Amino acid sequence: MSRDTTFPTRAQVVIIGGGVIGTSVAYHLTRMGWEDVVLFEQGQLSSGTTWHAAGLVGQLRATEGGTRLVQYSAQLYETLEAETGLATGFKRCGGVTVARSEDRMVQLKRTAASAASYGLECELISPERAKELYPPLFIDDLVGAIWLPGDGTANPVDVTASLARGARDQGARIFEKTRVTAVEQADGRVTGVVTDQGAIEADVVVNCAGQWAKAVGLLAGVNVPLHSSEHFYVVTEQIDGVHPNLPILRDPDGYTYFKEEVGGLVVGGFEPEAKPWVPPDELPYPFEFQLLDEDWEHFSVLMDSALLRIPALHHTGIRKFYNGPESFTPDNQFIMGEAPELRNFYVGAGFNSVGIASAGGAGRALAEWITQGEPTSDLVGVDIRRFAPFNGNNQWLRARVGEILGLHYEVPWPNRELVSARPFRRSPVYGHLAEKGALFGSRMGWERANVFAPVGKDLTYTWGKPEWLAWSNGEQRSTRDAVTVFDETSFGKLLVTGRHAEQLLQRLCTADVAVDVGTVVYTGMLNMRGGYEADITLTRTRRDEYLLVTSSASAIRDRVWIERHIEDDEHVAVVDISGSQAVFGVMGPRSRELLASLSRSDLGNDAFPFATSQEIDLGQAWIRATRITYVGELGWELYVPVEFAVGVYDSLFRAGQTLGIPVSDAGYYAINSKRLDKGYRAFGAELNPDRNPVEAGLLFTCKLGTDTDFIGRDAVEQVRGRGPNRRLVSFVLEDPEVMMWGGELLLRDGEPAGQVTSAAWSDTLGAAVGLAYLWRADGEPVTAEHVKSGSYRFDVGGDRIGATVGLKAPFDPGNDRIRV
């Protein structure tokens, strides 16, 4: 077909960036019927970072959603040549990952269990079997391996060219050597772009500019937190025994990967100490098909490891050294979605060296988001709304990205905390907590006490029971028997105000929010598919004002979700007050006694019932006290202006001394254990855009008994009518010696039937507890009888451990302790 080379003045969609991601988005948009698509590439297609990618397509990812994306990529690359006439170079050669240590082998056993839960073929194999699959391999120091026969490789330039042709064949227009110099907008929406060839109006703009995406984002006032790092690999001369179908080999303990190329090997990896490149606003232009200088000294840690794993490399020459910069994000997850700052401006960037594997699925997912107005699957982990403006600070990014790249092949220890660019956001009582031995974690930049440790102790990582478990158990006991103070200042806090606040929230929320002032409502906000977009509590503080409390990482996401649903004739404002108020959870059976000693307010059950909120005096401060709990005990959350926070915190402990009440500090490890005792759900774990209230056991939060409509209601009622095909269950392990962390495979009557979403050690129950989704292989509804009739085990690092599984909370299922 002929191609229109006239520079356009208008398009439905403009895509910025002609790498594998941009061309994939263009391809999928045209497949969805959007033919008026224009793509601009400042150089030539694939000339930025795509061309020097290694091209590995490993299917198994940390989450089911991520795994499905890559599975689709592989399927697409297999069939694309038949459609477009251009080969992608994709071949399913399989992948071998080896373990040098028992700790790594535990990880691989967990990986194999995850594969089983996703229906992906994966086999635990011996070192000897690994050598059969990969003859050049040295195995004397190995303890085991896994085999993923569905893994493959692709040629990045060929994939890009094939996607581009597919897009062109369906009407997309692609312009190379065209640089975007400005992004135009009006009334909070993108209206087009300006290029060095002219201006073009557009309804939608998609930023797929690779390592230039942060700079392109700045043109639109959009924050895209990524930073370039140097990334290294070499291509060797030919090696005996290396053939075109040789599997991918990964040796994560040696930080290295290997793939066949023209009879030799590509040898690359992710060194422990990465080498960030220039800041995003200093990237050179033009920069087409270019590499950086060789750095053999920096590469030596990878090469030394490679020489051990593949002895033939000792007498094999090097054909080419590649030092190609790539962009990395602060959390090693890529960035997708509509920018919170600007309507109809989308981003697909920051793919952290997995761009080729992810491009097919990510391009389709982003195209669906654009055409349908919201994601069609769970993309919370990669959603651009997980970042705040401070995440775009180049100095912070440089420090963080240097660590992130270095962790790529590290053992993914449970609860691993990043150490770079910290401490960052701090509660007013951060110093007090540090003096008391708090070991801090980080969430949305907030420093949060995980656990309080004896002097000289620090966090250690293990698959088994960690040293800190004894300290957390003490905090759990304090919460159960006396009073504990949790610093929960990191909570996301939004004020939803205006005369139409109730009207808007009724439309968004599953629960009835037309309540009296001072009432607390636990509710979800759903998408049209009935899946969770938010899990929140709402307190009606005035007739025209609600206080919304959400998780630390969700404040921006929830604010944008609400704002994007405000109708033109509705008077509503959403204000983020997360940093202006400290929050202290005062929890435990003696919490009422402690607080009453500091306040003239009546805290009795009749005057201050559960799920209500009041402004009260506390010592010399005036605060908001909300009677609610996330740890399953009597207690209040105190919302304190930051200027009064230290005084209130100190007064709680002084009052405890005066009354002889043992008041303790506690951290988020104890919170997690206590919430799982009660089966309390968490957004991002149990609740996500693919899970609905019926599956999650939260139908009681839905106002289905009223005539009031809400987003997702029809979908929820459909699931309720036919029965859920999966269901959230609580469990308690039978073996008290076993530790669980989440992600483990659930087996019913010996067959894979689900996966753990959250797990922790319960001091109260003396065993590991948690939540898991149970599903049926036959697709039939998961009924209460089905849950009761099965025999259950969990695959914990390769061992199958029995468990009690049920639909009720393991501890205090009648909520007697929280309503006293």
Side-chain angles (χ1 to χ4, degrees), residues 263-567:
L265 290 176
V266 170
V267 181
F270 298 88
E271 65 278 17
E273 294 185 15
K275 189 177 179 183
W277 193 35
V278 297
D281 52 2
E282 296 179 16
L283 290 173
Y285 172 79
F287 192 79
E288 298 177 53
F289 298 110
Q290 292 188 44
L291 297 172
L292 305 181
D293 293 338
E294 297 179 359
D295 189 340
W296 283 101
E297 181 178 358
H298 192 82
F299 187 71
S300 63
V301 65
L302 301 180
M303 199 65 211
D304 290 345
S305 174
L307 290 168
L308 169 67
R309 192 55 50 221
I310 309 294
L313 292 175
H314 283 281
H315 46 81
T316 302
I318 302 296
R319 292 209 321 257
K320 178 72 174 177
F321 186 111
Y322 285 84
N323 178 4
E326 297 183 41
S327 59
F328 294 83
T329 64
D331 59 1
N332 207 32
Q333 299 295 323
F334 52 85
I335 300 173
M336 279 180 55
E338 187 180 23
E341 301 93 339
L342 185 62
R343 291 301 305 266
N344 290 343
F345 186 92
Y346 290 81
V347 178
F351 278 80
N352 305 287
S353 282
V354 296
I356 305 304
S358 304
R364 180 178 68 169
L366 189 53
E368 289 172 343
W369 195 333
I370 293 166
T371 58
Q372 299 188 35
E374 64 180 40
T376 59
S377 62
D378 175 18
L379 297 175
V380 171
V382 299
D383 194 324
I384 191 172
R385 292 172 294 175
R386 72 189 188 273
F387 291 121
F390 56 73
N391 293 120
N393 181 297
N394 282 342
Q395 296 180 71
W396 184 87
L397 278 170
R398 184 179 182 86
R400 177 53 56 85
V401 165
E403 179 183 10
I404 280 292
L405 191 154
L407 292 176
H408 198 94
Y409 275 168
E410 286 288 341
V411 174
W413 295 115
N415 293 348
R416 174 188 281 280
E417 296 289 350
L418 299 175
V419 299
S420 58
R422 292 182 57 195
F424 199 37
R425 304 173 78 184
R426 301 179 226 190
S427 157
V429 298
Y430 170 85
H432 286 56
L433 304 183
E435 289 177 359
K436 292 182 176 183
L439 301 181
F440 292 95
S442 179
R443 183 71 165 166
M444 194 56 172
W446 285 103
E447 299 295 327
R448 311 194 313 180
N450 281 331
V451 67
F452 288 79
V455 175
K457 296 290 187 177
D458 206 343
L459 288 176
T460 55
Y461 300 114
T462 176
W463 294 113
K465 291 182 179 179
E467 183 182 21
W468 54 256
L469 186 58
W471 316 328
S472 177
N473 285 343
E475 296 170 12
Q476 294 178 54
R477 287 192 293 275
S478 170
T479 310
R480 185 176 66 245
D481 299 335
V483 185
T484 299
V485 177
F486 298 91
D487 179 20
E488 299 169 328
T489 299
S490 64
F491 281 176
K493 299 172 281 288
L494 306 175
L495 281 182
V496 184
T497 68
R499 65 177 182 270
H500 293 122
E502 178 188 306
Q503 174 179 298
L504 170 65
L505 291 172
Q506 280 287 62
R507 193 166 69 247
L508 293 177
C509 294
T510 62
D512 188 353
V513 302
V515 294
D516 294 336
V517 171
T519 301
V520 182
V521 178
Y522 171 55
T523 183
M525 292 192 289
L526 310 180
N527 53 44
M528 294 300 292
R529 298 179 290 117
Y532 276 89
E533 292 294 332
D535 175 56
I536 60 175
T537 58
L538 282 172
T539 300
R540 191 165 201 165
T541 51
R542 293 183 176 83
R543 184 185 61 79
D544 59 353
E545 179 182 270
Y546 291 80
L547 171 63
L548 182 155
V549 179
T550 187
S551 67
S552 307
S554 296
I556 292 175
R557 175 188 178 86
D558 294 353
R559 175 182 60 78
V560 174
W561 181 260
I562 295 169
E563 288 177 341
R564 298 273 161 97
H565 286 87
I566 299 173
E567 301 289 350

Side-chain angles (χ1 to χ4, degrees), residues 75-245:
Q75 294 163 7
L76 175 66
Y77 302 162
E78 277 186 314
T79 60
L80 203 56
E81 181 179 3
E83 177 187 336
T84 68
L86 292 180
T88 63
F90 180 76
K91 59 182 178 181
R92 287 191 189 268
C93 54
V96 174
T97 302
V98 300
R100 302 188 187 189
S101 68
E102 292 297 337
D103 282 333
R104 179 70 67 180
M105 199 61 216
V106 170
Q107 180 211 341
L108 295 188
K109 290 176 180 177
R110 292 173 62 89
T111 297
S114 293
S117 68
Y118 304 151
L120 189 68
E121 188 177 357
C122 178
E123 181 184 354
L124 288 163
I125 60 175
S126 67
E128 291 74 21
R129 174 60 177 152
K131 187 169 180 63
E132 290 177 9
L133 293 164
Y134 202 96
L137 184 66
F138 174 74
I139 64 170
D140 289 2
D141 62 337
L142 300 182
V143 297
I146 57 172
W147 165 238
L148 287 154
D151 281 4
T153 63
N155 184 304
V157 173
D158 290 348
V159 169
T160 304
S162 190
L163 288 167
R165 175 175 286 186
R168 283 192 180 111
D169 288 346
Q170 294 297 318
R173 289 172 288 173
I174 296 175
F175 296 85
E176 298 176 292
K177 299 291 185 180
T178 306
R179 190 184 191 201
V180 172
T181 58
V183 175
E184 298 188 316
Q185 53 188 285
D187 300 323
R189 292 178 177 269
V190 71
T191 58
V193 302
V194 177
T195 77
D196 54 9
Q197 305 298 315
I200 177 173
E201 295 179 359
D203 299 322
V204 175
V205 173
V206 191
N207 177 5
C208 298
Q211 63 182 337
W212 288 268
K214 188 172 192 291
V216 170
L218 291 174
L219 297 177
V222 168
N223 179 36
V224 185
L226 52 78
H227 197 291
S228 297
S229 283
E230 301 183 31
H231 191 47
F232 308 90
Y233 67 83
V234 297
V235 181
T236 75
E237 302 287 356
Q238 292 189 348
I239 300 174
D240 289 342
V242 172
H243 54 82
N245 289 320

Side-chain angles (χ1 to χ4, degrees), residues 738-756:
V738 177
M739 188 73 179
M740 288 181 69
W741 300 100
E744 293 84 359
L745 173 68
L746 168 62
L747 300 111
R748 182 183 184 275
D749 298 336
E751 296 298 323
Q755 189 174 30
V756 176

Side-chain angles (χ1 to χ4, degrees), residues 524-527 530-534 683 687-689 691-693 696 698 701:
M525 292 192 289
L526 310 180
N527 53 44
Y532 276 89
E533 292 294 332
F683 185 75
L687 309 178
N688 64 49
R691 302 279 77 85
N692 60 66
L698 295 178
T701 68

